[in-house]
Amino acid sequence: MTDPDLAPIIEFLSGLLPFDQLDDAGRQAAARGIEIAYFAKSTGEVPVDYANPQLYIVRSGAFEVRSDRGELLDRLGEGDYFGFPSLLTGEQVSNRVQVLEDGLVYVLSEEAFRQLRAVSRDFDRFFNRKHAERLRHSARYLAREHLSTARIRSVMASPVQSVGPFTPIQEAAQLMRASRISSVLVVQDNRLLGIVTDRDLRNRVLAEGVPVDSPVSEVMTANPVSVPSQTLVFEAMLAMSQHNIHHLPVCDDETPVGVVTSTDLIRAQRSDPLYLIGEIDRQHDRAALVQVAGQIPTLLQSLIQADARAEEIGRVLTLVTDALTRRLLALAQDELGPAPMPWCWLAFGSQARMDQAGKSDQDNGLLLAREPNDAERDYFLALATFVCDGLNDSGYIHCPGGIMAMNPKWCLSLAQWQAQFSQWIDQPEPKAVMHASIFFDMRAVAGRAELAHTLQRSVLASCKDNQIFLAMMAGNACTNSPPLGFFRQLVLERDGEQRKALDLKHKGLAIINDIARLYALATGTEAVGTAARIQAAMKAGLITRKDALNLADAQEFIAHLRLANQGEQWSRGEEPSNFLRPGRISGLARHQLKDAFAVVARAQDGVRLSFARSL
């Protein structure tokens, strides 16, 4: 018999998707898991505790979801939801929910939410789709931020092709043909005097019958509109629109340093993450998808030149990788048919942490709901091979260590994955722990995310109080040392071309990731990103606020330096790598890099003191 106090809640849920897909028992169970909260407009914001995730169902009133930067992500009214991204991913989301109008909110507990997902596939699918929509909104705002903060230097053509004012028109035209450009600048004493375009040659020379041996100064546009290289792309687009021009000289201190055309700006828009994700979603075969993925290096270069933060670049690149992976999975299922059981595509390593850089191989696996028979295993291996080969063709090379879903060793049922993690945790060996550490950075990319959450929760429960295993992980985090010698001198090693350089990944970022991973396992947090893990460790008292902020700053600085270096390597036509030659950065940057490495070394000392004593 229904509790009379629950009747109004059940009646409301009965008309609300996806609760209307539940049977009567399911809706009653949902109602029993709900608490009622009232939020007045005067309170300003809903005090959402993302460390204790719950589903918020708007019964009445109006709310706005904004990012931590204040960007509008969604507006909510009766029957809308918030709080579900944390429930689905385990990540602590930094969004803020503002109260626009007084309202009642039904708050569903995490346990009740998980039970409903477990008993109803429609319920689970609904919130996975809602989460995908929120991710697309996130991508839109990242893309919008990229367009608004990118500088014109990131899209301009350089070096400048120029002629003097007395150069014959024909010679200027020949230079334009040879250089395959549609304009040439007229320069004297490093100062911009004018510009000659294809249109000028047509309208002012051919149409008017001007002799081709006349000087270009007679037909050029004198004192053209120009902008400095620090100008925002948005501002340049606005200037070209206002003046109805298609060529915009770029000058610093009156000296021409580049030219921007309408085509350059269109190309810049095509390398924007929102455009790229949209193009990925529109492709219907793997070859076309691979061709679109060829724009990813250009996206990375534009983000680097726009001076975006390393954390933001990693997040944008990973969102693109996720979109590419999901589209490949959809194409594979179009070819192979629907999957014979629930499954989840897992990302490990940098894709899981959402900190991908310019050179990433793939680390992934398949998590199956149950043990497959031979035919089912063949299906999933074919699915994984299609996706992994597609990622390889798109620039994410096959993992040299074979950590890929196409490897039968990493295409496992939930029980098999749990057994594999138990072996690493309960019988730790230094070498095995070192090789297995990447698996402890785990994130669901597609499929049934609840499978990944179940696996992750069981792993965290096994790790949290296992002092021997944590000590082994601490030893792994201290295996490599930052490249600092006596008197804080940088210690160089040979890169792949036998040049002395610094390995920013393995001697810096990887160590920070290892330390953050150890803290996550020790605290039991489901956060996967390194910055979020450091913050969780600080809240748990494993690291002081000062040390946590210093370590997070060191990670951002080293990661930014690596990306900037990769951008310069790419612009020189070199293969991007993790090696930096100190001579290519300023003395100030070298000093800051030494400070960052010193922070990492101190963090290792803290890990040894807190964990490694059990060895």
Side-chain angles (χ1 to χ4, degrees):
M1 186 174 178
T2 302
D3 185 336
D5 293 337
L6 299 180
I9 299 177
I10 294 173
E11 182 181 359
F12 177 71
L13 295 180
S14 297
L16 183 64
L17 191 70
F19 289 92
D20 61 353
Q21 303 299 307
L22 302 173
D23 58 21
D24 291 342
R27 279 191 289 274
Q28 288 187 33
R32 285 193 294 270
I34 281 176
E35 294 183 357
I36 301 175
Y38 174 76
F39 300 106
K41 182 178 180 180
S42 59
T43 62
E45 291 185 6
V46 177
V48 179
D49 181 7
Y50 288 110
N52 180 31
Q54 300 175 100
L55 180 68
Y56 298 80
I57 310 165
V58 179
R59 179 65 181 87
S60 64
F63 303 83
E64 281 185 350
V65 181
R66 291 185 176 270
S67 71
D68 54 0
R69 299 189 191 95
E71 298 155 328
L72 178 64
L73 299 180
D74 212 350
R75 285 195 173 95
L76 309 175
E78 181 179 326
D80 290 328
Y81 303 93
F82 59 93
F84 56 85
S86 290
L87 286 167
L88 294 171
T89 67
E91 292 286 315
Q92 292 191 24
V93 182
S94 57
N95 294 340
R96 296 181 289 110
V97 181
Q98 296 183 341
V99 184
L100 300 182
E101 297 176 4
D102 297 356
L104 285 175
V105 175
Y106 291 159
V107 185
L108 182 70
S109 70
E110 180 180 15
E111 182 59 31
F113 181 78
R114 286 175 174 166
Q115 289 177 359
L116 293 173
R117 291 182 67 200
V119 300
S120 172
R121 192 170 184 179
D122 289 333
F123 188 92
D124 181 63
R125 282 177 172 171
F126 175 85
F127 282 103
N128 275 308
R129 284 196 298 268
K130 292 290 286 185
H131 182 47
E133 290 174 8
R134 181 62 56 80
L135 286 176
R136 285 195 292 273
H137 286 171
S138 174
R140 288 190 182 98
Y141 284 101
L142 286 168
R144 193 174 301 166
E145 178 178 302
H146 167 59
L147 278 176
S148 63
T149 59
R151 306 290 173 177
I152 204 67
R153 66 172 183 269
S154 67
V155 297
M156 70 183 186
S158 182
V160 171
Q161 298 294 330
S162 64
V163 296
F166 303 109
T167 302
I169 294 171
Q170 185 176 33
E171 186 178 327
Q174 289 171 340
L175 173 62
M176 291 166 63
R177 181 182 64 182
S179 302
R180 296 183 178 181
I181 55 178
S182 56
S183 68
V184 64
L185 300 185
V186 182
V187 177
Q188 187 174 42
D189 298 329
N190 289 327
R191 291 182 64 253
L192 178 66
L193 300 181
I195 185 173
V196 175
T197 68
D198 281 341
R199 180 186 296 180
D200 295 329
L201 294 177
R202 182 177 66 249
N203 295 341
R204 299 178 181 177
V205 179
L206 291 178
E208 298 296 331
V210 175
V212 295
D213 57 355
S214 302
V216 293
S217 57
E218 291 186 8
V219 295
M220 72 181 185
T221 299
N223 301 316
V225 175
S226 65
V227 295
S229 62
Q230 290 294 319
T231 301
L232 296 173
V233 169
F234 172 77
E235 292 176 309
M237 295 171 68
L238 186 61
M240 294 174 75
S241 174
Q242 288 175 337
H243 295 280
N244 192 28
I245 56 178
H246 301 282
H247 299 80
L248 184 65
V250 181
C251 299
D252 286 336
D253 297 326
E254 298 187 352
T255 300
V257 294
V259 177
V260 174
T261 68
S262 301
T263 302
D264 294 328
L265 295 178
I266 292 172
R267 189 181 301 116
Q269 287 179 304
R270 288 179 176 174
S271 68
D272 183 84
L274 175 59
Y275 176 90
L276 199 50
I277 289 173
E279 283 294 288
I280 286 171
D281 289 340
R282 282 190 285 271
Q283 303 312 306
H284 296 288
D285 64 80
R286 194 166 77 179
L289 198 57
V290 169
Q291 187 174 4
V292 172
Q295 299 175 35
I296 294 175
T298 305
L299 166 64
L300 171 61
Q301 183 72 358
S302 64
L303 288 167
I304 292 170
Q305 292 183 349
D307 204 28
R309 295 181 68 247
E311 181 185 3
E312 294 167 345
I313 294 175
R315 201 163 69 248
V316 170
L317 291 180
T318 306
L319 284 170
V320 174
T321 306
D322 287 355
L324 182 63
T325 303
R326 284 193 288 266
R327 190 61 191 143
L328 284 166
L329 282 163
L331 293 177
Q333 290 176 92
D334 289 343
E335 184 174 298
L336 299 171
M341 72 173 80
W343 55 275
C344 181
W345 186 273
L346 298 175
F348 302 116
S350 62
Q351 186 181 358
R353 296 189 304 268
M354 300 193 78
D355 62 8
Q356 289 190 301
K359 186 175 183 179
S360 298
D361 57 7
Q362 51 181 295
D363 297 297
N364 49 58
L366 260 176
L367 169 56
L368 310 181
R370 55 173 171 76
E371 179 73 21
N373 59 36
D374 290 344
E376 291 169 337
R377 181 172 295 278
D378 288 344
Y379 172 91
F380 283 111
L381 289 177
L383 176 89
T385 299
F386 183 101
V387 175
C388 292
D389 286 348
L391 289 171
N392 182 73
D393 293 342
S394 300
Y396 302 89
I397 63 172
H398 286 140
C399 175
I403 303 175
M404 292 177 291
M406 64 187 287
N407 183 344
K409 189 175 180 180
W410 309 121
C411 179
L412 305 173
S413 68
L414 174 59
Q416 289 173 321
W417 274 110
Q418 288 172 326
Q420 178 63 78
F421 275 101
S422 293
Q423 181 179 341
W424 288 326
I425 296 166
D426 297 334
Q427 302 172 14
E429 298 177 359
K431 187 175 181 180
V433 168
M434 179 181 68
H435 290 305
S437 61
I438 190 175
F439 291 96
F440 290 88
D441 298 342
M442 178 200 328
R443 183 172 60 86
V445 172
R448 295 289 291 274
E450 180 62 23
L451 290 170
H453 298 326
T454 300
L455 175 60
Q456 187 181 41
R457 288 192 294 269
S458 67
V459 169
L460 291 172
S462 299
C463 291
K464 189 172 181 181
D465 297 318
N466 191 322
Q467 298 303 316
I468 295 177
F469 173 74
L470 293 176
M472 287 285 187
M473 292 293 286
N476 182 56
C478 298
T479 299
N480 285 320
S481 299
L484 286 177
F486 290 109
F487 307 112
R488 285 168 45 94
Q489 294 301 308
L490 293 171
V491 178
L492 307 182
E493 56 187 280
R494 300 284 182 180
D495 65 8
E497 298 182 11
Q498 299 304 308
R499 295 175 299 192
K500 289 189 175 182
L502 295 166
D503 186 344
L504 296 179
K505 178 180 178 180
H506 296 99
K507 299 294 186 178
L509 294 174
I511 299 174
I512 299 174
N513 292 333
D514 288 342
I515 292 171
R517 182 185 304 115
L518 170 63
Y519 284 142
L521 297 177
T523 59
T525 178
E526 294 186 19
V528 181
T530 295
R533 285 172 162 178
I534 293 172
Q535 185 178 36
M538 179 187 71
K539 290 181 178 179
L542 289 182
I543 185 172
T544 67
R545 176 178 176 80
K546 178 181 177 181
D547 288 343
L549 294 176
N550 285 340
L551 191 58
D553 287 345
Q555 181 205 20
E556 172 63 28
F557 180 77
I558 297 172
H560 190 277
L561 206 56
R562 176 174 70 148
L563 286 167
N565 184 54
Q566 289 180 341
E568 291 179 7
Q569 290 170 329
W570 187 84
S571 66
R572 291 193 297 267
E574 301 173 3
E575 183 73 15
S577 76
N578 297 306
F579 287 93
L580 169 70
R581 283 187 273 171
R584 286 185 167 170
I585 59 176
S586 68
L588 176 60
R590 285 196 296 274
H591 178 78
Q592 292 172 318
L593 185 57
K594 291 177 185 178
D595 287 344
F597 284 141
V599 168
V600 178
R602 288 195 296 272
Q604 285 184 311
D605 290 339
V607 163
R608 291 188 188 97
L609 185 63
S610 299
F611 296 97
R613 290 178 296 177
S614 300
L615 288 176

